[in-house]
Amino acid sequence: MILDTFEALAMVSAIFAILILGTTHLRTNLSFYSLHTMAIAAVTAWIANITHEDHLYLVAAGVFIIKSWGIPWYLNSVIKKINIGTDGGAFIAAPLSMHLGALMLGLSFMISQQIPGLIGEPDSRLGSTAAMSILFTGVLLMLTRRAAISQIVGFLVIENGIYLFAVTQTHGMPLMIEMGLLLEVLVAVMVAGLLLFNIKKSFEHIDVSQLTELKD
Amino acid sequence: MINDPTTISAANLFTSASAIWLAGLVITAVGRERVKSKFLAFLMLAGALLTLGGAALSWNQSIEYNQLQYISFGLVPADSIVDSLSVPFLGLLGMLASAAAVASPCHVESLNSQGKKGHYWKLTFIFLIGLQQVLLAANGIAFLVFWEIMSLSSAGLVAADHIRHRAQRAAFAYLTATRISTAFITAAFLWMHQNTGSWSLSSWHFGTEQSIVAAGLLLIAVCTKAGVWPMHVWLPLAYPEPPGPTSAVFSGLVGNISIYLLMRMLLAGECHHLGIAYAAIALGTISALWGVLFALMERDLKKLLAYSTVENMGIILTAIGVAILAHCHNLDTIATLACAAALFHTLNHGLVKALLFLGAASVERAVHTRELSALGGLAKNMPWTMLCFFIGSLSICAMPPMNCFASKWLVYQTFFQLSFANAPILERAMSLAMVGILAFVGALSLACFTKAVGIAFLGRPRSNAAAKAKESTTSGPDGLILAQVILAIACVMIGTSVPIALDGLAPALRHLTHDQFVIGSTLFPIPQGQLALVGGILVSSIYLFVLGGRSGDVKSYITWDCGFGPLSTRAEETGSSFSHPIGRIFSQILQLKVTTEISGKDRRHFPESVRVETFMTPILETKLYRPIMGLFDWLSASLVRLQTGSIHIHLLYVFLTMLLLVFLGTNI
Amino acid sequence: MIAINTEAILETLAFVATFLLLPPLLVGIIRKTKARFQNRIGAPLLQPYFDLMKLMSKGETISKHTSWIFRSTAAINVSLLIILAFLAPWTSLRPFNLGADLFLVIYLLALTRFFTVLSALDAGSAFGGFGASREVTLALLVEPAVILCLAAIGSVSQTSDLGVAFSFNNVSLINQPGLWFIAGCGLFLASLVELSRMPADDPTTHLELTMVHEAMILENSAANLALVEYSHFLKILILLGISSQCLLHAIPFFWHTSQLILALASILSIMILAASIAIIESVAVKLRWTKLPEFIAYSVAMSIFCVFIALSKNLN
């Protein structure tokens, strides 16, 4: 199987997403996230190149600027302000969850071979494999980590997975929808960041596993 | 079916070996203390050598004969068969029994009570006869009878030191395990007899639909007897207990005999059940990981070796699993490789484990303890034991010029070749994962055996007994040392001439793979002998040209002590501290807990005393076996109510049972 | 085997020359680069040779508690690594086609570790014990990664002979830049740990409580120490060489090019990897012992990716 550039880029983004799982050091997480999103921007640009849909270049630029620079930069500043460098404790040890994520990549490969009606040759559906694996990775990140920052990163990774899936299957939606989605994510992250300040201020920690105390 | 002179003489050799051992048994029973232990050892050695000779004569053709024609076990006479599969195991038996015979006199002379001496000889002779006849048995009934003789006599050997609580417990655990395994084997045999109508072992085929039950029962039985996870809990208790020399035969053959049974039934019997293959691979993998991890954490030298047996049984079981898997997919080359791996590793492991147990026995004799924390620095006082134990450790860690490297390589190669064979993708993924797991197990066993050698033999002595240890009772090397040297030489010889050894195993492989065309020497392409030679030349030339000629410059001084004066031996690394970092990584499985107590006025800066304790709770025993044992306790406590003491009620029970049996028998 | 022609002779000569000269030079490059990063001029590139010479002429001190293991370990390790250098595919030059079996290579490396660990325990000092215990722990975590990366490559080329798998004429492995690149990264990360370099161990520190490799060889001196150092240099050469070969295979330019360029590129890439070790050591810190499994996990993750690529490549 010869990888074409598009599939290779999608796999690179999936691999970077899995590498996020490997450490509880939040800034390293964010830099891996940034690399991961850059690969996704590159995928978008490459699809634009193939399909000659020029508006996808704009989307790629938007993803690059907002998601792979803006959001990590903003979250980095949040981390600096609330002064929490590492995730307190993962439910599953970080190395183990990374290896789980890697296994999920294999699993999504098997799944994407089975799903009928996907775009792509039946023996090379690496685009949808990558998208699905990114989705799983995001879920795994949200499941295993305690700190609220990691939850945000997990959410962003899931969002990237959905986006990649859409892009590989439809070869790009209209510009307005893409831009709307991007802005929505940006707003969500801003709100989450603001919430974080307040959580930190009132509870002295950002451990979401202790939010259960809030019920009733 | 005796047809030509060599087979006649081979059959006669086996029969006379048994006869000699039987004679030894009778002489011990009759003669009591008048018999010299040297004479009995000579009988044992003669039997062992006859077995070896018989194996050598019959390695290429199978003989069926009826040595015990006058004995009949009710259903069938006790037929014997020597086929290509039993020959390697008979050879191993001969080898280990001769080593044990050489080591026996000096062990027996060190025993103080006459009863113990008699006990030792009687049980050893029965054990050897049982082992040999199990390997020769041609039908299920004979197999079961001799299997029982072997199991019970070995249980007696485990209980040799029965005054101690530890030995009692070990003997009970071992007895339970052998009971369970015999029960399952009997059930499997009955099932196969029901399906085929024959008691002959060679007529049973496991390719049919119904046979999966028997195959499953056999797998459970073998796992119990060989000590595969999760039925291995008896093994670290029982293996250290048999007295010195017999521990070689015990450790080298008790597990291997059950592997032999599995090979004879499932591999030679053409088992075609994927489920059995998966179960074998899964149990084997867990067992390999579990065994080596617990071996690493162990503080008792012999228990460490026992856990390492669990590991190796697991590896062999995975190879057998792959062989069945390959049979199912018709992958002939892989099946051949897997059979070769399983068979060769079984034999090598038996040899090496016997060597290591003899080494541990020698250490125990000199220092009177097996605790690693009380050993150390034995290399000075016990050079021969150290050398042999070192060779054994190299071999069991599968280091290149040794015999176990060849068999471990075959295991690796089996999985590696499965990864690009024509098999389902999940199985190929599993096989590559297994390569990684085997590497992990290999690294763990390296850690484990560097610990065993490094802590027991190197460094400075950690106790007075270790400092004053003496290798042998006489001035020169005595029997125990000689036995180790024999086995160590055998290991090195096999290691450096693997193609010859594999050629010797070719008939057995043909038997296991149903007459595939097998050339033993091509299975293992690495020229280990030449590599060892080149390595030897390189090392000696470096000695001559780089290090040589400067012995005058070498100063002998104390170990670097940072200038603080004499270094206390308590500053040395102990066995538990050596393995602690790894233990921390796997603390969940090992249930490893560390408590630290610091006392003093200013505890933080000027502690007066620091007390650190590490605990390990064996998770399987507490979480799995204790509830099961609790269940049995409860059951038996509630069954007590049935026993009223009234004779009428008991008669009623008899009557009811008879009624039940009548109903069952008439199929109403 | 070896055909007698000028090309083969030249190849042999080039191989022997690199194998003899490169190992200490690599350490020189690492030290020089680090010195430059710290705004120092640093010792000359050839300093490791001078160090070795000097060590050879010194008088030796041996602890009286040691046994023959300690005295023979250095010689055994050097011979094992020389054998390995002739077997393992650390450069594109392979004049002696001896058949480098994957598992043999791994187990020969393990054998050197076996001896090193035992000799560390031999003197009975506390530091040797620390070092030995840490060494086996690290090896345990790294071993699966190394073997899986190489086994994935071998599985794609359907042979366990690394000489065949790493040859540039092997058709089945060309067009697999992803596999080679990821395997190269995984192996490089693993070699950082195996070679006791920065995130795992600080080779320049002499604080006995934190070091791994240095703690193990604390008792060696003079010629013995020179041999230990030289075997470590050889190990650097072999491990970095294997990683660099993987990375070279990932670059399409080298798939169809002449032997000479390949040979030069292999040597150059080993040097570049050595320099990048120095850069990593200058910008990164030594990780805490408890954080090391996290670092090694990245190498294992790479090996898992390699396995996936190998499995999907052989899809039937």
Side-chain angles (χ1 to χ4, degrees):
Chain A
M1 178 175 19
I2 298 166
L3 291 173
D4 66 13
T5 314
F6 155 69
E7 284 173 332
L9 282 172
M11 284 322 279
V12 165
S13 75
I15 286 174
F16 275 124
I18 290 167
L19 295 187
I20 300 178
L21 283 168
T23 174
T24 48
H25 189 243
L26 293 176
R27 305 204 35 189
T28 321
N29 279 349
L30 283 176
S31 27
F32 275 130
Y33 168 73
S34 171
L35 287 170
H36 152 71
T37 319
M38 270 179 215
I40 286 196
V43 170
T44 319
W46 188 257
I47 287 183
N49 183 23
I50 296 172
T51 56
H52 302 292
E53 296 206 34
D54 290 340
H55 78 266
L56 275 179
Y57 282 119
L58 278 178
V59 178
V63 169
F64 185 72
I65 293 166
I66 296 180
K67 282 211 226 159
S68 77
W69 284 108
I71 293 177
W73 173 80
Y74 171 68
L75 287 180
N76 257 328
S77 69
V78 171
I79 288 170
K80 208 176 279 175
K81 268 190 199 143
I82 61 176
N83 200 16
I84 286 178
T86 54
D87 198 324
F91 290 111
I92 301 176
L96 212 57
S97 64
M98 173 159 63
H99 296 159
L100 258 182
L103 291 185
M104 290 291 189
L105 177 65
L107 188 71
S108 33
F109 180 75
M110 310 258 306
I111 294 175
S112 67
Q113 299 285 315
Q114 307 293 326
I115 298 179
L118 286 187
I119 291 179
E121 293 295 307
D123 64 327
S124 98
R125 283 171 164 172
L126 290 187
S128 45
T129 304
M132 227 174 292
S133 144
I134 292 171
L135 205 71
F136 286 141
T137 309
V139 174
L140 208 57
L141 198 63
M142 288 188 83
L143 273 177
T144 57
R145 299 298 156 83
R146 284 174 200 264
I149 287 272
S150 311
Q151 302 289 322
I152 299 176
V153 176
F155 161 74
L156 287 169
V157 172
I158 293 180
E159 201 273 336
N160 271 346
I162 296 170
Y163 169 79
L164 187 64
F165 198 74
V167 161
T168 52
Q169 293 310 308
T170 63
H171 287 176
M173 288 176 280
L175 182 63
M176 288 311 291
I177 299 178
E178 298 280 15
M179 283 300 163
L181 279 174
L182 263 181
L183 288 178
E184 206 165 344
V185 169
L186 184 64
V187 170
V189 170
M190 299 292 256
V191 173
L194 286 177
L195 273 175
L196 260 186
F197 284 126
N198 290 325
I199 294 175
K200 170 79 177 164
K201 213 156 62 186
S202 15
F203 297 108
E204 296 289 312
H205 64 75
I206 53 168
D207 186 346
V208 291
S209 67
Q210 294 187 25
L211 292 183
T212 45
E213 286 167 17
L214 292 180
K215 81 172 182 194
D216 288 330
Chain B
M1 295 256 283
I2 298 169
N3 33 26
D4 78 81
T6 48
T7 57
I8 297 172
S9 50
N12 284 341
L13 285 179
F14 289 122
T15 319
S16 40
S18 276
I20 287 178
W21 284 335
L22 201 62
L25 175 65
V26 173
I27 291 170
T28 332
V30 175
R32 305 204 175 242
E33 63 264 33
R34 286 191 298 276
V35 191
K36 281 260 173 12
S37 55
K38 285 243 167 76
F39 174 65
L40 290 171
F42 171 74
L43 285 185
M44 193 167 150
L45 183 64
L49 291 179
L50 285 176
T51 313
L52 256 182
L57 278 182
S58 57
W59 72 277
N60 208 6
Q61 71 258 56
S62 69
I63 323 163
E64 279 179 49
Y65 65 107
N66 199 344
Q67 58 171 356
L68 305 170
Q69 47 203 313
Y70 35 84
I71 300 179
S72 166
F73 298 116
L75 299 167
V76 280
D79 284 329
S80 299
I81 184 169
V82 188
D83 62 6
S84 44
L85 182 56
S86 49
V87 163
F89 287 89
L90 283 167
L92 183 66
L93 171 67
M95 191 77 211
L96 298 188
S98 0
V102 170
S104 282
C106 61
H107 168 76
V108 174
E109 272 154 27
S110 72
L111 292 174
N112 37 20
S113 88
Q114 195 58 46
K116 271 191 182 172
K117 287 182 191 176
H119 185 85
Y120 173 81
W121 284 116
K122 280 177 228 161
L123 285 171
T124 309
F125 281 125
I126 303 177
F127 181 47
L128 288 177
I129 294 171
L131 276 172
Q132 196 204 30
Q133 294 299 325
V134 162
L135 289 171
L136 293 175
N139 61 54
I141 300 290
F143 186 94
L144 277 176
V145 169
F146 288 114
W147 176 271
E148 273 303 277
I149 290 176
M150 176 201 83
S151 302
L152 293 178
S153 59
S154 56
L157 283 172
V158 171
D161 202 5
H162 57 88
I163 300 161
R164 287 201 210 163
H165 175 66
R166 197 176 63 188
Q168 288 168 14
R169 206 171 149 233
F172 275 119
Y174 178 61
L175 264 180
T176 318
T178 55
R179 291 317 68 220
I180 294 173
S181 102
T182 309
F184 277 101
I185 292 179
T186 314
F189 280 11
L190 286 175
W191 183 275
M192 284 317 284
H193 174 67
Q194 195 67 27
N195 277 329
T196 57
S198 156
W199 283 110
S200 159
L201 292 180
S202 52
S203 68
W204 291 350
H205 287 280
F206 288 78
T208 54
E209 283 288 316
Q210 301 91 351
S211 65
I212 190 166
V213 178
L217 290 171
L218 269 176
L219 188 65
I220 297 175
V222 165
C223 287
T224 313
K225 182 79 185 197
V228 171
W229 186 91
M231 283 81 92
H232 67 274
V233 282
W234 61 271
L235 199 140
L237 297 174
Y239 266 50
E241 291 305 325
T246 37
S247 68
V249 185
F250 187 86
S251 59
L253 275 166
V254 166
N256 286 357
I257 286 281
S258 34
I259 293 290
Y260 159 79
L261 173 67
L262 201 64
M263 283 181 180
R264 174 164 292 275
M265 294 286 107
L266 298 190
L267 293 187
E270 298 179 39
C271 177
H272 269 92
H273 302 295
L274 271 179
I276 299 289
Y278 291 145
I281 295 174
L283 285 178
T285 313
I286 300 176
S287 169
L289 284 167
W290 195 276
V292 73
L293 198 57
F294 278 78
L296 176 63
M297 298 308 291
E298 198 47 67
R299 296 171 191 177
D300 178 318
L301 186 57
K302 276 192 171 176
K303 279 192 176 180
L304 183 149
L305 297 177
Y307 270 120
S308 145
T309 303
V310 176
E311 174 216 336
N312 282 290
M313 288 297 149
I315 290 174
I316 294 165
L317 196 63
T318 54
I320 293 179
V322 176
I324 299 174
L325 194 77
H327 276 316
C328 294
H329 295 315
N330 292 324
L331 301 167
D332 288 336
T333 35
I334 293 175
T336 311
L337 263 177
C339 289
L343 183 64
F344 199 32
H345 197 61
T346 310
L347 299 174
N348 283 336
H349 169 250
L351 202 60
V352 172
K353 203 34 79 61
L355 165 63
L356 289 170
F357 263 101
L358 282 180
S362 172
V363 169
E364 193 180 7
R365 185 181 70 176
V367 195
H368 302 293
T369 179
R370 306 192 304 238
E371 290 291 318
L372 283 173
S373 53
L375 302 174
L378 296 177
K380 290 264 163 47
N381 297 332
M382 309 174 69
W384 286 104
T385 311
M386 194 263 163
L387 185 65
C388 295
F389 198 89
F390 176 77
I391 289 174
S393 306
L394 270 185
S395 179
I396 203 143
C397 293
M399 289 303 155
M402 306 302 294
N403 53 350
C404 279
F405 173 71
S407 47
K408 200 88 174 276
W409 185 90
L410 288 171
V411 180
Y412 270 117
Q413 200 66 26
T414 309
F415 283 110
F416 178 71
Q417 298 213 357
L418 186 60
S419 78
F420 52 81
N422 188 11
I425 188 163
L426 272 180
E427 279 168 17
R428 290 172 40 226
M430 172 219 66
S431 66
L432 267 184
M434 281 301 297
V435 170
I437 291 173
L438 280 176
F440 190 70
V441 170
L444 270 170
S445 76
L446 186 141
C448 173
F449 280 92
T450 46
K451 167 179 160 175
V453 177
I455 303 295
F457 291 97
L458 305 178
R460 290 166 299 144
R462 291 180 183 79
S463 65
N464 273 333
K468 292 186 197 123
K470 263 207 224 138
E471 184 153 47
S472 62
T473 43
T474 56
S475 53
D478 61 2
L480 190 52
I481 311 297
L482 202 62
Q484 291 176 57
V485 173
I486 294 171
L487 291 182
I489 289 175
C491 283
V492 175
M493 292 284 282
I494 295 177
T496 45
S497 51
V498 179
I500 300 171
L502 281 174
D503 263 342
L505 290 182
L509 289 178
R510 275 195 284 275
H511 186 104
L512 285 179
T513 54
H514 323 302
D515 297 317
Q516 292 286 328
F517 183 65
V518 181
I519 304 173
S521 50
T522 53
L523 288 172
F524 185 72
I526 298 170
Q528 277 210 105
Q530 284 94 312
L531 273 180
L533 191 69
V534 171
I537 293 171
L538 272 174
V539 172
S540 35
S541 51
I542 287 174
Y543 253 101
L544 277 180
F545 299 115
V546 183
L547 296 172
R550 43 176 74 242
S551 50
D553 288 352
V554 178
K555 268 192 295 181
S556 188
Y557 197 61
I558 54 164
T559 299
W560 168 238
D561 56 3
C562 303
F564 283 120
L567 207 55
S568 156
T569 49
R570 297 193 51 183
E572 251 184 292
E573 192 88 350
T574 62
S576 19
S577 64
F578 184 80
S579 51
H580 195 70
I582 299 176
R584 285 291 280 269
I585 297 176
F586 299 100
S587 56
Q588 292 288 319
I589 299 170
L590 297 164
Q591 299 280 303
L592 182 77
K593 293 205 175 63
V594 184
T595 54
T596 315
E597 262 178 55
I598 305 171
S599 58
K601 275 176 198 159
D602 184 357
R603 289 195 303 162
R604 188 137 172 237
H605 301 106
F606 301 102
E608 277 163 21
S609 73
V610 181
R611 185 185 167 78
V612 179
E613 274 185 279
T614 54
F615 304 96
M616 263 174 57
T617 355
I619 185 168
L620 238 105
E621 279 86 334
T622 52
K623 294 272 162 68
L624 180 68
Y625 285 102
R626 194 153 297 160
I628 291 178
M629 271 150 67
L631 185 71
F632 275 102
D633 274 352
W634 176 80
L635 268 178
S636 41
S638 24
L639 281 175
V640 161
R641 261 179 274 157
L642 290 176
Q643 190 206 16
T644 54
S646 153
I647 191 151
H648 299 102
I649 303 277
H650 283 245
L651 280 174
L652 181 66
Y653 291 153
V654 173
F655 176 67
L656 285 177
T657 317
M658 272 163 60
L659 218 57
L660 189 72
L661 284 176
V662 167
F663 272 113
L664 283 180
T666 47
N667 275 330
I668 296 170
Chain C
M1 295 293 281
I2 310 164
I4 305 298
N5 54 31
T6 42
E7 205 170 303
I9 293 171
L10 271 179
E11 195 179 354
T12 316
L13 280 180
F15 177 82
V16 171
T18 32
F19 152 71
L20 283 179
L21 297 178
L22 203 53
L25 188 65
L26 286 178
V27 181
I29 290 173
I30 294 178
R31 290 188 188 156
K32 191 80 176 176
T33 322
K34 275 177 87 172
R36 283 296 162 149
F37 262 84
Q38 294 159 354
N39 262 338
R40 293 185 286 122
I41 294 170
L45 275 178
L46 298 180
Q47 187 63 37
Y49 293 97
F50 306 144
D51 289 350
L52 285 183
M53 305 272 213
K54 191 169 161 195
L55 279 175
M56 291 305 292
S57 61
K58 290 230 167 187
E60 191 174 352
T61 307
I62 287 184
S63 162
K64 63 185 175 196
H65 303 291
T66 55
S67 66
W68 58 270
I69 295 254
F70 179 82
R71 259 153 253 178
S72 50
T73 291
I76 289 174
N77 277 359
V78 169
S79 350
L80 282 175
L81 283 158
I82 289 174
I83 292 177
L84 259 175
F86 277 92
L87 292 179
W90 54 273
T91 156
S92 70
L93 294 171
R94 268 188 293 283
F96 314 101
N97 208 355
L98 296 173
D101 188 83
L102 150 62
F103 305 106
L104 179 68
V105 168
I106 301 278
Y107 271 85
L108 279 177
L109 277 173
L111 184 58
T112 65
R113 185 174 302 121
F114 194 92
F115 275 101
T116 318
V117 166
L118 283 188
S119 88
L121 287 169
D122 202 1
S125 79
F127 308 123
F130 283 161
S133 159
R134 286 173 185 163
E135 168 83 5
V136 293
T137 312
L138 290 180
L140 166 77
L141 298 169
V142 168
E143 200 92 320
V146 176
I147 213 164
L148 277 183
C149 284
L150 293 178
I153 291 172
S155 177
V156 172
S157 60
Q158 310 213 338
T159 168
S160 70
D161 188 343
L162 289 182
V164 177
F166 275 68
S167 122
F168 279 86
N169 308 323
N170 192 338
V171 188
S172 62
L173 278 169
I174 279 175
N175 280 330
Q176 290 289 324
L179 172 66
W180 284 109
F181 181 73
I182 295 175
C185 290
L187 286 174
F188 180 64
L189 289 181
S191 355
L192 284 183
V193 179
E194 289 240 2
L195 296 173
S196 320
R197 301 311 298 198
M198 195 55 140
D201 183 15
D202 189 349
T204 51
T205 182
H206 281 277
L207 178 61
E208 292 92 340
L209 292 177
T210 59
M211 46 198 202
V212 182
H213 183 250
E214 290 289 314
M216 286 200 292
I217 57 170
L218 204 63
E219 294 290 327
N220 296 66
S221 55
N224 218 328
L225 183 60
L227 286 180
V228 168
E229 292 282 334
Y230 188 67
S231 63
H232 193 63
F233 295 167
L234 276 176
K235 200 172 168 190
I236 293 180
L237 176 75
I238 292 166
L239 290 184
L240 287 188
I242 294 177
S243 334
S244 74
Q245 286 294 305
C246 285
L247 294 175
L248 279 188
H249 274 274
I251 303 169
F253 172 73
F254 295 107
W255 293 346
H256 312 283
T257 182
S258 71
Q259 281 291 323
L260 184 67
I261 296 180
L262 272 177
L264 286 178
S266 352
I267 293 170
L268 204 65
S269 61
I270 298 177
M271 289 181 175
I272 291 172
L273 281 190
S276 57
I277 283 186
I279 295 171
I280 291 173
E281 293 198 345
S282 305
V283 298
V285 287
K286 181 182 172 305
L287 285 173
R288 275 179 63 200
W289 175 249
T290 49
K291 287 281 167 194
L292 267 180
E294 276 187 25
F295 175 75
I296 298 171
Y298 281 102
S299 165
V300 179
M302 295 294 171
S303 71
I304 296 179
F305 295 139
C306 287
V307 165
F308 284 150
I309 297 176
L311 287 177
S312 63
K313 154 84 185 170
N314 287 332
L315 212 59
N316 35 40

